[in-house]
Amino acid sequence: GAVVSQHPSWVICKSGTSVKIECRSLDFQATTMFWYRQFPKQSLMLMATSNEGSKATYEQGVEKDKFLINHASLTLSTLTVTSAHPEDSSFYICSARDTSGANPSTDTQYFGPGTRLTVL
Amino acid sequence: AQKITQTQPGMFVQEKEAVTLDCTYDTSDPSYGLFWYKQPSSGEMIFLIYQGSYDQQNATEGRYSLNFQKARKSANLVISASQLGDSAMYFCAMIGQAGTALIFGKGTTLSVSS
């Protein structure tokens, strides 16, 4: 099946620094990628939809100036957590849609392995 | 608005037994897709099974089957012959006609004992 990679898989940083997380679709083009956030023992919460060549669409309550998303190519989306604080510590997961099918409802979404962010 | 409800925070089952994980959904889209994912402690999301809203038959994938009851808006996952490696968090998810992001339920933690 299709593969989505994320880098880094884990990162520890000091409060106030910025962290960039990359999400790559390795064997298909993804015009749309999604960024999720997951706290321990909770569900995945959608943060934003990343569209290649245009601005990301953020979910209500997600600060777009804090979580910068760039989708510069059909295979790469990046999430930058700016001025990270301990409350930003979480598991961040991206997914990419393979839109080669004719029916959007059956588009397969492939998940990256996730990035565990710890802010000290 | 779309919504996925998983009412079982935790389920316990013994090896080789079958278990049903509940999922109900709500949507106004005439066409939609329902998914089940497994998330072990490593955090990766593992796709298990998919059911389209217009599929006539219930989806099956090996030991996994989806009991789809459209009128009741339920999409329960049945795992037959549970194995120790099935212990994980299980999420039910939906995608609507617009093909937007998956919407997830709160998840069910499954514990399989020997």
Side-chain angles (χ1 to χ4, degrees):
Chain A
V3 177
V4 174
S5 70
Q6 268 185 255
H7 177 80
S9 55
W10 59 268
V11 57
I12 301 173
C13 69
K14 290 183 179 180
S15 185
T17 60
S18 294
V19 175
K20 179 186 283 188
I21 302 170
E22 294 185 348
C23 177
R24 292 181 187 272
S25 57
L26 299 184
D27 53 1
F28 67 98
Q29 293 185 334
T31 54
T32 303
M33 292 184 176
F34 303 98
W35 287 96
Y36 295 86
R37 180 175 181 176
Q38 185 182 30
F39 291 108
K41 299 192 185 300
Q42 293 188 22
S43 186
L44 281 73
M45 298 302 296
L46 179 66
M47 298 176 67
T49 300
S50 172
N51 298 301
E52 187 268 336
S54 64
K55 289 183 179 180
T57 303
Y58 291 82
E59 295 300 299
Q60 192 172 10
V62 177
E63 300 175 58
K64 61 180 180 181
D65 294 331
K66 180 167 186 63
F67 299 99
L68 300 179
I69 291 173
N70 184 281
H71 195 152
S73 78
L74 287 172
T75 59
L76 173 65
S77 174
T78 60
L79 168 68
T80 301
V81 183
T82 61
S83 186
H85 290 285
E87 57 266 30
D88 298 323
S89 298
S90 187
F91 192 58
Y92 293 87
I93 308 177
C94 72
S95 72
R97 276 180 62 202
D98 181 353
T99 56
S100 57
N103 184 350
S105 290
T106 60
D107 287 348
T108 303
Q109 292 193 22
Y110 298 95
F111 284 87
T115 297
R116 199 165 298 280
L117 170 64
T118 301
V119 184
L120 302 177
Chain B
Q2 298 177 331
K3 186 178 180 181
I4 293 281
T5 302
Q6 292 179 257
T7 57
Q8 306 157 313
M11 289 287 285
F12 298 87
V13 68
Q14 287 207 308
E15 260 187 308
K16 301 180 185 177
E17 290 184 350
V19 62
T20 298
L21 305 183
D22 294 341
C23 173
T24 58
Y25 63 91
D26 193 20
T27 181
S28 57
D29 288 331
S31 176
Y32 50 89
L34 296 157
F35 300 77
W36 277 92
Y37 286 86
K38 172 184 178 181
Q39 187 181 43
S41 57
S42 62
E44 62 178 316
M45 295 294 284
I46 302 170
F47 166 75
L48 296 178
I49 198 166
Y50 166 81
Q51 179 84 42
S53 58
Y54 289 114
D55 292 343
Q56 296 296 316
Q57 292 188 326
N58 287 345
T60 60
E61 290 285 349
R63 294 186 299 112
Y64 305 107
S65 60
L66 199 152
N67 184 1
F68 181 47
Q69 297 188 42
K70 195 170 182 178
R72 297 180 61 184
K73 294 190 174 179
S74 73
N76 298 340
L77 176 70
V78 180
I79 305 175
S80 63
S82 297
Q83 301 172 356
L84 294 177
D86 293 335
S87 294
M89 192 116 170
Y90 288 78
F91 291 100
C92 180
M94 162 186 280
I95 190 168
Q97 188 170 16
T100 54
L102 286 169
I103 303 300
F104 288 87
K106 290 187 175 181
T108 297
T109 300
L110 176 65
S111 300
V112 182
S113 59
S114 57

